Amino acid sequence: MTEMHEAPDTIQEPRLWSDGRWTAKVIKNEDDDGWAVAMTLQGESEPALVGPWTMGRDKKNPKPLDVSAFHTLVKTASEVLRRHEQQLHAQLNKSVTIVAADGQRLRVALNIVPDEEGATATLRAEDAFGQEVARVPVSPAFRLTAASATAWADSGFERPR
């Protein structure tokens, strides 16, 4: 039995292109007389990227979208999303390496899980072999530094206040 896959809804108009995943829409730039292009990922309410768009030959209307421009815009918008995800991951996942009072080298990690109801966070310590030594819940506002990680280890891994 052969599976049937529907082709994504494609739109190829001068001011609107879509491949079913990304949509490029040329819009009037509200700040001046020029034009802008907004790149929106399917299912998102806000564009991932809004940037200037080239004027056409008549210097009044926008240059029409084409396949090359669309692919470049998709690549750029995808990169913007990827960088945003990396930045968010870095904000939510931090780690430091310390040497505890007993001479043991530890990697201490703070992992924050965002939630509309209220974020949660976990502080975790691993030994040099990656084995978990301790894990405690902490406030998402906990500031992980080498000093706070060392103090936690030296306290016998008691939950920080």
Side-chain angles (χ1 to χ4, degrees), residues 60-106:
K60 291 181 185 173
N61 294 304
K63 177 181 164 189
L65 287 162
D66 61 34
V67 68
S68 177
F70 182 74
H71 288 299
T72 300
L73 289 165
V74 166
K75 183 177 178 182
T76 304
S78 296
E79 181 67 17
V80 167
L81 286 184
R82 188 179 70 76
R83 286 184 182 172
H84 176 73
E85 288 167 359
Q86 286 176 334
Q87 180 183 12
L88 183 60
H89 184 270
Q91 288 174 341
L92 300 176
N93 300 280
K94 298 180 184 204
S95 69
V96 296
T97 301
I98 62 164
V99 177
D102 64 1
Q104 186 178 22
R105 186 176 186 85
L106 299 171

Side-chain angles (χ1 to χ4, degrees), residues 26-61:
V26 177
I27 54 177
K28 187 78 173 127
N29 187 339
E30 296 172 10
D31 296 334
D32 63 28
D33 292 335
W35 295 89
V37 63
M39 289 296 293
T40 307
L41 188 60
Q42 179 69 31
E44 295 294 323
S45 59
E46 295 292 321
L49 173 74
V50 177
W53 188 244
T54 309
M55 293 286 243
R57 290 184 182 191
D58 66 3
K59 303 295 182 203
K60 291 181 185 173
N61 294 304

